[in-house]
Amino acid sequence: MASYADPSSVERVEWVESGGGPLIAIPEVVLPFWTGADGDELASDYDRACEVEGPVGLLPVGNTTALVLGDEPAATSYLPEHGTFVRWSAGDPEDALPAGVPAALATAAWGREVHWEVPGTVVLFDAASSGAGATKAGHLRIALTAGRYAVRAAHAEPDPESSSVGLVRLRPLGP
């Protein structure tokens, strides 16, 4: 996991990277059920995650669902102030992110919406890893309020000459 300092604050943005496949955000309460690329099944959990088409999709894990961040194995962070996963595609993350996120959100062309029910905190990590190993290194723990979220993805270029990002926005839905 890489970290970059945001020049406008003292906080660091933590990035999760994959070995080439999708990233997955799994509710913390069902992490032990995710076997990653290992497992006794004919098709592993990682194989199931790789079958998700498009930038986002949902997979059952235990008695809940996980959010798969597909399309490309981009380094990803979560910016809670925007309720958005930011997927760094090109450019310098120290210069472009997170300062360019508001402009990217304003100009993004959003894709189809999926609804994700979460019981609370989720962990973002490489889908090839097991849930048990995900909390040791290369993960990001994200405190979400339990509930239902509308999830939409987009690609944006906050600075077309130097940066390109994927966005996955979580919007809480009312009861």
Side-chain angles (χ1 to χ4, degrees):
M1 176 169 32
S3 292
Y4 299 99
D6 172 6
S8 64
S9 74
V10 296
E11 292 188 37
R12 294 167 24 149
V13 176
E14 302 268 341
W15 296 93
V16 175
E17 298 175 343
S18 85
L23 294 175
I24 191 160
I26 296 181
E28 194 171 50
V29 296
V30 295
L31 275 177
F33 297 105
W34 185 260
T35 60
D38 297 329
D40 300 330
E41 303 293 323
L42 186 56
S44 69
D45 284 339
Y46 175 72
D47 293 331
R48 292 188 315 130
C50 289
E51 290 174 1
V52 169
E53 294 184 20
V56 294
L58 301 174
L59 279 181
V61 178
N63 63 352
T64 187
T65 55
L67 179 68
V68 177
L69 303 180
D71 264 354
E72 61 182 74
T76 302
S77 189
Y78 183 75
L79 302 179
E81 65 274 20
H82 299 292
T84 303
F85 288 100
V86 178
R87 310 200 70 210
W88 171 51
S89 298
D92 185 348
E94 292 182 77
D95 293 339
L97 296 171
V101 171
L105 290 169
T107 60
W110 297 97
R112 70 177 176 87
E113 183 174 281
V114 298
H115 292 173
W116 185 29
E117 183 83 29
V118 295
T121 299
V122 299
V123 179
L124 177 70
F125 60 97
D126 186 340
S129 298
S130 71
T135 57
K136 294 179 182 155
H139 76 284
L140 186 60
R141 189 172 182 271
I142 302 159
L144 294 178
T145 302
R148 192 168 169 87
Y149 289 82
V151 181
R152 297 178 84 186
H155 183 82
E157 296 180 351
D159 178 356
E161 294 187 24
S162 65
S163 64
S164 177
V165 297
L167 304 167
V168 178
R169 192 166 210 184
L170 308 180
R171 182 178 49 86
L173 295 172

Coordinates of all heavy atoms in Angstrom, one line a residue, residues 23-27 30 34 48-49 52 56-69 114-119 122-123 125:
L23 N -10.0 -5.0 -7.0 CA -10.1 -4.8 -5.6 C -11.5 -5.1 -5.1 O -12.4 -5.0 -5.9 CB -9.7 -3.3 -5.3 CG -8.3 -2.9 -5.6 CD1 -8.1 -1.4 -5.4 CD2 -7.3 -3.7 -4.8
I24 N -11.6 -5.3 -3.8 CA -12.9 -5.7 -3.3 C -13.1 -5.0 -1.9 O -12.1 -4.9 -1.2 CB -13.1 -7.2 -3.2 CG1 -14.5 -7.5 -2.9 CG2 -12.1 -7.8 -2.2 CD1 -14.9 -9.0 -3.2
A25 N -14.3 -4.5 -1.7 CA -14.6 -3.9 -0.4 C -15.6 -4.8 0.3 O -16.7 -5.0 -0.2 CB -15.2 -2.5 -0.5
I26 N -15.1 -5.5 1.4 CA -16.0 -6.5 2.0 C -16.3 -6.0 3.4 O -15.4 -5.6 4.2 CB -15.2 -7.8 2.1 CG1 -14.9 -8.4 0.7 CG2 -15.9 -8.9 2.9 CD1 -14.2 -9.7 0.7
P27 N -17.6 -6.2 3.8 CA -17.9 -5.9 5.2 C -17.0 -6.7 6.2 O -16.8 -7.9 6.0 CB -19.4 -6.3 5.3 CG -19.9 -6.1 3.9 CD -18.8 -6.6 3.0
V30 N -17.7 -10.2 7.7 CA -17.7 -11.4 6.9 C -16.3 -11.7 6.2 O -16.2 -12.6 5.4 CB -18.8 -11.5 5.8 CG1 -20.2 -11.5 6.4 CG2 -18.7 -10.3 4.8
W34 N -14.1 -14.9 3.0 CA -13.5 -14.6 1.7 C -12.2 -15.3 1.6 O -11.3 -15.1 2.4 CB -13.3 -13.1 1.5 CG -12.7 -12.8 0.1 CD1 -11.4 -12.5 -0.2 CD2 -13.5 -12.7 -1.1 NE1 -11.3 -12.3 -1.6 CE2 -12.6 -12.4 -2.1 CE3 -14.8 -12.8 -1.4 CZ2 -13.0 -12.2 -3.5 CZ3 -15.2 -12.6 -2.7 CH2 -14.3 -12.3 -3.7
R48 N -14.5 -15.4 -9.0 CA -15.9 -14.8 -9.0 C -15.7 -13.3 -9.2 O -16.5 -12.6 -9.9 CB -16.6 -15.1 -7.7 CG -17.0 -16.5 -7.6 CD -18.0 -16.8 -6.4 NE -17.6 -16.2 -5.2 CZ -18.4 -15.5 -4.4 NH1 -19.7 -15.3 -4.8 NH2 -18.0 -15.0 -3.3
A49 N -14.8 -12.7 -8.4 CA -14.6 -11.2 -8.5 C -14.1 -10.8 -9.9 O -14.5 -9.8 -10.5 CB -13.6 -10.8 -7.5
V52 N -16.9 -10.2 -12.6 CA -17.7 -9.0 -12.6 C -17.3 -8.1 -13.7 O -16.2 -7.7 -13.9 CB -17.5 -8.2 -11.2 CG1 -18.2 -6.9 -11.2 CG2 -18.1 -9.1 -10.1
V56 N -18.0 -1.5 -11.4 CA -18.5 -1.9 -10.1 C -19.5 -3.1 -10.2 O -20.2 -3.2 -11.2 CB -19.2 -0.8 -9.3 CG1 -18.2 0.3 -8.9 CG2 -20.4 -0.3 -10.0
G57 N -19.5 -3.9 -9.2 CA -20.5 -5.0 -9.1 C -20.5 -5.5 -7.7 O -19.7 -5.2 -6.9
L58 N -21.6 -6.3 -7.4 CA -21.8 -6.9 -6.1 C -21.6 -8.4 -6.1 O -22.0 -9.0 -7.1 CB -23.1 -6.5 -5.6 CG -23.4 -5.0 -5.5 CD1 -24.9 -4.8 -5.1 CD2 -22.5 -4.4 -4.5
L59 N -21.0 -9.0 -5.1 CA -20.9 -10.4 -4.9 C -21.4 -10.8 -3.5 O -21.0 -10.1 -2.6 CB -19.4 -10.8 -5.0 CG -18.8 -11.0 -6.4 CD1 -17.3 -11.4 -6.2 CD2 -19.5 -12.0 -7.2
P60 N -22.1 -11.9 -3.4 CA -22.4 -12.4 -2.1 C -21.2 -12.9 -1.4 O -20.4 -13.6 -2.0 CB -23.4 -13.5 -2.4 CG -23.3 -13.9 -3.8 CD -22.6 -12.7 -4.5
V61 N -21.1 -12.6 -0.1 CA -20.1 -13.1 0.8 C -20.7 -13.3 2.1 O -21.2 -12.3 2.7 CB -18.9 -12.1 0.9 CG1 -17.8 -12.7 1.9 CG2 -18.2 -11.8 -0.4
G62 N -20.8 -14.5 2.6 CA -21.5 -14.8 3.9 C -22.9 -14.4 3.7 O -23.6 -14.7 2.7
N63 N -23.4 -13.7 4.7 CA -24.8 -13.3 4.7 C -25.0 -11.8 4.2 O -26.0 -11.2 4.4 CB -25.5 -13.5 6.0 CG -24.8 -12.6 7.1 OD1 -23.8 -11.9 6.8 ND2 -25.4 -12.6 8.3
T64 N -24.0 -11.3 3.5 CA -24.1 -9.9 3.0 C -23.4 -9.9 1.6 O -23.2 -10.9 1.0 CB -23.4 -9.0 4.0 OG1 -23.6 -7.6 3.6 CG2 -21.9 -9.2 4.2
T65 N -23.1 -8.7 1.1 CA -22.5 -8.6 -0.2 C -21.2 -7.7 -0.1 O -21.1 -6.8 0.8 CB -23.4 -7.9 -1.2 OG1 -23.9 -6.7 -0.7 CG2 -24.6 -8.9 -1.6
A66 N -20.3 -7.9 -1.1 CA -19.1 -7.2 -1.2 C -19.2 -6.3 -2.5 O -19.9 -6.7 -3.4 CB -17.9 -8.1 -1.2
L67 N -18.5 -5.2 -2.5 CA -18.4 -4.4 -3.7 C -17.1 -4.6 -4.4 O -16.0 -4.5 -3.8 CB -18.5 -2.9 -3.2 CG -18.4 -1.9 -4.4 CD1 -19.6 -1.9 -5.2 CD2 -18.2 -0.5 -3.8
V68 N -17.2 -5.0 -5.7 CA -16.0 -5.3 -6.5 C -15.8 -4.0 -7.3 O -16.6 -3.5 -8.0 CB -16.3 -6.5 -7.4 CG1 -15.1 -6.7 -8.3 CG2 -16.6 -7.8 -6.6
L69 N -14.5 -3.6 -7.2 CA -14.1 -2.5 -8.1 C -13.3 -3.1 -9.2 O -12.1 -3.5 -9.1 CB -13.2 -1.5 -7.3 CG -13.8 -0.9 -6.0 CD1 -12.9 0.0 -5.3 CD2 -15.1 -0.2 -6.3
V114 N -26.0 0.7 -8.7 CA -26.3 -0.5 -8.0 C -26.6 -0.1 -6.6 O -26.1 0.9 -6.1 CB -25.2 -1.5 -8.1 CG1 -25.0 -2.0 -9.6 CG2 -23.9 -1.1 -7.5
H115 N -27.3 -0.9 -5.9 CA -27.6 -0.7 -4.5 C -26.9 -1.7 -3.6 O -27.0 -2.9 -3.8 CB -29.1 -0.7 -4.2 CG -29.8 0.5 -4.8 ND1 -31.2 0.6 -4.9 CD2 -29.3 1.5 -5.5 CE1 -31.5 1.7 -5.5 NE2 -30.4 2.3 -5.9
W116 N -26.1 -1.2 -2.6 CA -25.3 -2.0 -1.8 C -25.7 -1.8 -0.3 O -25.7 -0.7 0.2 CB -23.8 -1.6 -2.0 CG -22.8 -2.4 -1.3 CD1 -22.8 -3.7 -0.9 CD2 -21.5 -1.9 -0.8 NE1 -21.7 -4.1 -0.3 CE2 -20.8 -3.0 -0.2 CE3 -20.9 -0.6 -0.8 CZ2 -19.6 -2.9 0.3 CZ3 -19.6 -0.5 -0.3 CH2 -19.0 -1.6 0.3
E117 N -26.1 -2.9 0.3 CA -26.5 -3.0 1.7 C -25.2 -3.3 2.5 O -24.6 -4.4 2.3 CB -27.6 -4.0 2.0 CG -28.1 -4.0 3.4 CD -29.1 -2.9 3.7 OE1 -29.9 -2.5 2.7 OE2 -29.2 -2.5 4.8
V118 N -24.8 -2.5 3.5 CA -23.6 -2.8 4.3 C -24.0 -2.8 5.8 O -24.8 -1.9 6.2 CB -22.5 -1.8 4.0 CG1 -21.9 -1.9 2.6 CG2 -22.8 -0.4 4.3
P119 N -23.4 -3.7 6.5 CA -23.7 -3.7 8.0 C -22.8 -2.8 8.8 O -23.0 -2.7 10.0 CB -23.4 -5.2 8.3 CG -22.4 -5.7 7.3 CD -22.7 -4.9 6.1
V122 N -16.2 -1.6 6.2 CA -15.8 -2.5 5.2 C -14.2 -2.4 5.1 O -13.6 -1.4 5.6 CB -16.4 -2.2 3.8 CG1 -17.9 -2.3 3.9 CG2 -16.0 -0.8 3.3
V123 N -13.6 -3.4 4.5 CA -12.2 -3.4 4.3 C -11.9 -3.6 2.8 O -12.5 -4.5 2.1 CB -11.5 -4.6 5.0 CG1 -10.0 -4.6 4.8 CG2 -11.8 -4.5 6.5
F125 N -9.3 -4.3 -0.3 CA -8.1 -5.0 -0.5 C -8.1 -5.7 -1.8 O -9.1 -5.7 -2.5 CB -7.7 -5.9 0.7 CG -8.8 -7.0 0.9 CD1 -8.6 -8.3 0.3 CD2 -9.9 -6.8 1.6 CE1 -9.5 -9.3 0.6 CE2 -10.9 -7.8 1.9 CZ -10.7 -9.0 1.3

